[in-house]
């Protein structure tokens, strides 16, 4: 069974930093992309950042220059370094992996349960 587990969330003051980590319980046959979404209270889940298998990264405009997404393939981990945090970054952050589990599998998206990030002003 595939499980993704996020860690590293917490409470931080504005202008502070946090580093989120996402660990997968399995090694995938192939990965299309990995990344992060977030959902603030009363709002829809929004895409934050992604990184492809060939290390191309993309970010939503509101986090460009402040957040950095990276991956460690050897450790099967995904990271989100968040700097210059602002109160509007407060949300539950979810990691996802779009991948094939086996060579004969169809691609699907796997999700972690989320980790809370709270930024105080």
């Amino acid at each position: 069974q595939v499980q993704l587990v996020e860690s590293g969330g917490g409470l931080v003051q504005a202008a502070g930093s946090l580093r989120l980590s996402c660990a997968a319980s399995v090694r995938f046959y192939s990965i299309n992309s990995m990344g992060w979404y977030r959902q603030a209270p009363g709002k829809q889940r929004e895409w934050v950042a992604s990184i492809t298998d060939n290390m191309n990264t993309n970010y939503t405009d509101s986090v460009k220059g402040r957040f950095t997404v990276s991956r460690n393939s050897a450790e099967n981990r995904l990271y989100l370094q968040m700097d210059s945090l602002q109160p509007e970054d407060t949300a539950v952050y979810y990691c996802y992996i779009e991948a094939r589990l086996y060579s004969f599998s169809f691609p699907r998206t796997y999700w972690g349960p989320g980790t809370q990030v709270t930024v105080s002003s």
Side-chain angles (χ1 to χ4, degrees), residues 4 6 12-15 21 24 28-29 36 38-39 54 58 69 80-81 84-85 93 103 108 110 112-114 118 121:
L4 304 183
E6 301 98 338
V12 64
Q13 288 188 332
S21 178
F28 296 94
Y29 171 75
W36 298 86
R38 67 185 179 186
Q39 187 166 19
N54 56 4
N58 286 284
V69 62
L80 184 67
Q81 177 66 41
S84 302
L85 282 162
Y93 284 71
S103 61
R108 62 161 289 184
Y110 301 88
T118 303
S121 58

Side-chain angles (χ1 to χ4, degrees), residues 83-121:
D83 299 316
S84 302
L85 282 162
Q86 303 165 6
E88 49 266 39
D89 295 316
T90 295
V92 177
Y93 284 71
Y94 301 89
C95 70
Y96 74 91
I97 297 178
E98 183 184 323
R100 291 185 176 188
L101 186 55
Y102 305 109
S103 61
F104 50 82
S105 303
F106 289 103
R108 62 161 289 184
T109 302
Y110 301 88
W111 294 90
T115 185
Q116 177 70 47
V117 172
T118 303
V119 184
S120 63
S121 58

Side-chain angles (χ1 to χ4, degrees), residues 5 8 10 19 24 29 34 38 43 48 51 65 68-71 73 84 91 98 102 106 121:
V5 179
R19 188 190 193 207
Y29 171 75
M34 310 168 72
R38 67 185 179 186
K43 295 187 177 182
V48 175
I51 182 167
T68 303
V69 62
S70 62
R71 59 184 284 189
S73 298
S84 302
E98 183 184 323
Y102 305 109
F106 289 103
S121 58

Side-chain angles (χ1 to χ4, degrees), residues 30-35 50-53 71 96-99:
S30 66
I31 295 175
N32 293 339
S33 70
M34 310 168 72
S50 62
I51 182 167
T52 65
D53 197 39
R71 59 184 284 189
Y96 74 91
I97 297 178
E98 183 184 323

